[in-house]
Amino acid sequence: MIDQKPLRGVRVLDLTRVLAGPFCTMNLADLGAEVIKIEMPGSGDDSRSFAPMMPSGDSAYFYSVNRGKRSVTLDLRFEEGAAIFIELAAKSDIVVENFSPGTMDRFKLGYSQLKAANPKIILCSISGFGQTGPMTSAPAYDIVAQALGGTMSITGNPGGAPVRCGVSVGDLGAALYGVIAIMSALRVRDRDGVGNHLDIAMLDCQVAMLEDALARYSVSGKIPERLGTRHPSITPFQQFRAADDYFVMGAGNEAIWLRFCDVIAMPQLKDDPRFLTNFDRTAHHAELETLLARIFATRPREHWLRLLADASVPCAPISNVEEVTRDPHLAARNMILHADHPDFHGLIVPGSPLKSVGVGDADIPSTRAAGLGESTDEVLASVLGYDSNRLSELRRRSII
């Protein structure tokens, strides 16, 4: 079978830590890149100490975003440590970092130094606010990006407090835009023979993901508000409570709406002037929600899900995390995996959503995260040709 991994043969030096950067480089590893994670001797990525901890003492948090990478310890604060990194960069394709802007320059590892060693190098810098602008040096976390980028203002129940999204979309959005930028830069390098310094800001990515909220404000002049699970432009499209539990459904076009009216035994809704079109239904959403809530409360969730699914009306239960891990469809698509850990076999990790049709289990990524520094000697020997005496001396001086 032909290897479908597009980044096979690409070497990535990963200087990132915690979430946005590591999630970016993990996806590069899933795409076939050789990812060498550079960590501080003795401590490593901050998230190695984040809960939850496995019985082995390893962080499950760290494992969840660092699979498929090698770990090399290298103290960049030493001049010789920075020089070793430059040597590695000269034989690599991509460097990814998520330090505060200016840190790479203080290490004398900025884009100009990397480019001097390797004119085709691609440096991807992921930060809270970017490499330029008045807020470039401000500290940022996921919640800061969600707050400033508008996401929190439209998340939550009507009239309620703003709510942070349940997953770290500030970090994860920046990570995935980083992957897109890197893949694009590789295409330019292959075409034109030049590298690039990519500037990915968490705040920029949150604004890019506002999609129709900006459009609605531009057209109406009204500031978008929190709507709970309701869609601002499609009705019905939200959660409802059945007699026993919650579920979601949506009628995104008129054909689905007509089928929906029949399946809930309310064909008269099709001719109700308040609900004739999606625009009408959205304008009268409160009246429709009240009516549907009374209907759905009469029968259990499974009853409604079965009827709606049989009529090809999009619907689903609201699965909790345990239910996600037991989903047979996700299992069939290799999205529920158990991490390859030498001492603990109970850690569940997601597979890669980046798949090719027809390759079967070939799209299952490596699920092992390297121990701190376990690849140091191997990488420095195989990539840079260091012998045991040089490695011992570097280790004695705490550079590696």
Side-chain angles (χ1 to χ4, degrees):
M1 180 179 293
I2 297 174
D3 188 345
Q4 296 288 329
K5 299 290 188 181
L7 297 187
R8 180 172 53 87
V10 171
R11 178 175 292 147
V12 179
L13 300 181
D14 178 7
L15 287 170
T16 69
R17 62 216 186 280
V18 186
L19 183 51
F23 193 74
C24 171
T25 54
M26 183 182 74
N27 277 277
L28 298 178
D30 289 348
L31 289 168
E34 175 195 7
V35 178
I36 300 172
K37 187 175 179 72
I38 308 294
E39 302 185 73
M40 183 67 119
S43 56
D45 187 326
D46 297 344
S47 68
R48 284 188 181 273
S49 63
F50 287 4
M53 308 302 289
M54 293 179 276
S56 61
D58 294 322
S59 165
Y61 182 110
F62 176 86
Y63 238 82
S64 70
V65 291
N66 285 285
R67 66 176 183 225
K69 308 176 188 179
R70 304 161 88 183
S71 173
V72 167
T73 50
L74 184 62
D75 195 333
L76 303 178
R77 298 172 300 178
F78 287 97
E79 184 176 334
E80 190 169 359
I84 292 171
F85 185 84
I86 288 290
E87 284 188 75
L88 288 169
K91 298 187 175 184
S92 300
D93 302 281
I94 300 160
V95 174
V96 185
E97 59 94 6
N98 64 345
F99 294 120
S100 298
T103 302
M104 291 289 283
D105 289 325
R106 289 195 294 275
F107 286 144
K108 295 184 170 54
L109 296 175
Y111 182 59
S112 59
Q113 288 97 342
L114 295 174
K115 185 178 179 181
N118 182 351
K120 295 184 178 182
I121 197 75
I122 295 166
L123 171 61
C124 180
S125 296
I126 301 174
S127 63
F129 301 106
Q131 305 298 306
T132 61
M135 293 187 68
T136 185
S137 61
Y141 283 120
D142 168 82
I143 196 169
V144 173
Q146 289 197 37
L148 272 179
T151 305
M152 284 183 63
S153 76
I154 55 175
T155 305
N157 289 320
V163 174
R164 172 186 174 273
C165 181
V167 295
S168 298
V169 294
D171 281 303
L172 301 179
L176 296 178
Y177 273 108
V179 173
I180 294 168
I182 288 167
M183 299 293 279
S184 301
L186 284 170
R187 170 69 179 120
V188 172
R189 190 194 68 174
D190 291 344
R191 185 189 66 202
D192 300 335
V194 296
N196 201 349
H197 185 187
L198 307 172
D199 178 9
I200 305 297
M202 292 167 62
L203 180 59
D204 293 354
C205 297
Q206 285 301 282
V207 172
M209 292 163 61
L210 279 180
E211 41 110 20
D212 79 323
L214 281 173
R216 284 184 284 128
Y217 170 68
S218 300
V219 172
S220 69
K222 297 179 181 179
I223 298 173
E225 299 177 344
R226 292 178 285 284
L227 301 176
T229 62
R230 184 171 72 82
H231 194 281
S233 306
I234 304 172
T235 305
F237 191 102
Q238 63 198 88
Q239 76 172 17
F240 289 99
R241 181 171 177 84
D244 57 345
D245 210 342
Y246 289 97
F247 68 98
V248 299
M249 60 75 52
N253 61 47
E254 298 308 318
I256 296 175
W257 166 249
L258 297 177
R259 296 200 302 271
F260 171 73
C261 293
D262 289 334
V263 81
I264 64 170
M266 291 291 288
Q268 63 269 34
L269 294 181
K270 292 187 276 188
D271 299 318
D272 190 314
R274 297 171 298 173
F275 311 137
L276 286 177
T277 68
N278 179 66
F279 181 85
D280 297 324
R281 294 191 292 277
T282 301
H284 297 93
H285 69 87
E287 298 158 78
L288 181 58
E289 289 165 14
T290 300
L291 189 155
L292 295 180
R294 286 200 300 266
I295 295 171
F296 288 136
T298 63
R299 303 296 293 271
R301 181 177 71 176
E302 288 307 311
H303 168 81
W304 296 115
L305 290 176
R306 183 175 65 256
L307 289 181
L308 293 171
D310 288 346
S312 296
V313 174
C315 62
I318 300 175
S319 299
N320 62 37
V321 174
E322 182 201 18
E323 289 167 336
V324 170
T325 67
R326 294 189 282 104
D327 188 299
H329 179 78
L330 292 173
R333 289 185 57 78
N334 297 321
M335 285 304 300
I336 302 299
L337 305 175
H338 284 80
D340 177 12
H341 188 282
D343 302 311
F344 181 68
H345 304 294
L347 179 63
I348 300 171
V349 293
S352 173
L354 306 170
K355 302 183 188 300
S356 297
V357 173
V359 302
D361 290 346
D363 60 21
I364 298 178
S366 168
T367 58
R368 186 174 181 277
L372 179 61
E374 75 171 49
S375 310
T376 302
D377 288 6
E378 176 192 358
V379 168
L380 296 184
S382 62
V383 177
L384 301 182
Y386 288 7
D387 60 22
S388 58
N389 291 332
R390 178 80 190 278
L391 294 169
S392 296
E393 176 62 15
L394 291 171
R395 187 164 285 107
R396 184 186 68 78
R397 293 161 54 204
S398 299
I399 294 174
I400 61 173

